[in-house]
Amino acid sequence: MFRMWGKIWKDNRLIRDTIAENGDYSLSRTAMVLQGLQQICHDLDLSVPIWLDSSISDFRRHDKTRFTADSFIEEIDFDYLEIQVLEE
């Protein structure tokens, strides 16, 4: 089961979190990551952030990245959204 953890951070404190799961292994890993991000954003009532080059680079290296205010079209009331792959 593919699992991805989404966390909202503000002032170095975890505000809210959720876990997205996907068991459809007919999808590519990229598709599972994108669906996981959409599910996390839906659960946390956020718009889906834009993948910047730095986000892509961090995610490729660490299976984890942060989306700051620069990644969102709408204004956010937290410091960043962090996503991390827990299980593949």
Side-chain angles (χ1 to χ4, degrees), residues 9 13 18 21 25-26 49 57 62 64 72:
W9 293 88
R13 295 177 191 260
T18 187
E21 296 181 342
Y25 285 103
S26 67
S57 175
H62 307 290
K64 177 179 174 178
F72 291 92

Side-chain angles (χ1 to χ4, degrees), residues 15-80:
I15 304 299
R16 293 174 50 200
D17 70 328
T18 187
I19 294 179
E21 296 181 342
N22 189 340
D24 184 5
Y25 285 103
S26 67
L27 299 173
S28 67
R29 183 176 191 269
T30 302
M32 284 195 260
V33 169
L34 294 176
Q35 282 186 359
L37 179 59
Q38 287 180 344
Q39 182 181 344
I40 287 168
C41 290
H42 180 267
D43 292 348
L44 297 175
D45 195 27
L46 299 172
S47 62
V48 178
I50 299 167
W51 286 86
L52 302 175
D53 290 339
S54 60
S55 303
I56 294 169
S57 175
D58 286 344
F59 194 79
R60 284 182 179 161
R61 280 186 275 155
H62 307 290
D63 278 348
K64 177 179 174 178
T65 193
R66 293 178 178 176
F67 296 103
T68 59
D70 295 342
S71 299
F72 291 92
I73 295 172
E74 299 172 352
E75 191 170 320
I76 59 173
D77 62 346
F78 52 88
D79 295 333
Y80 58 88

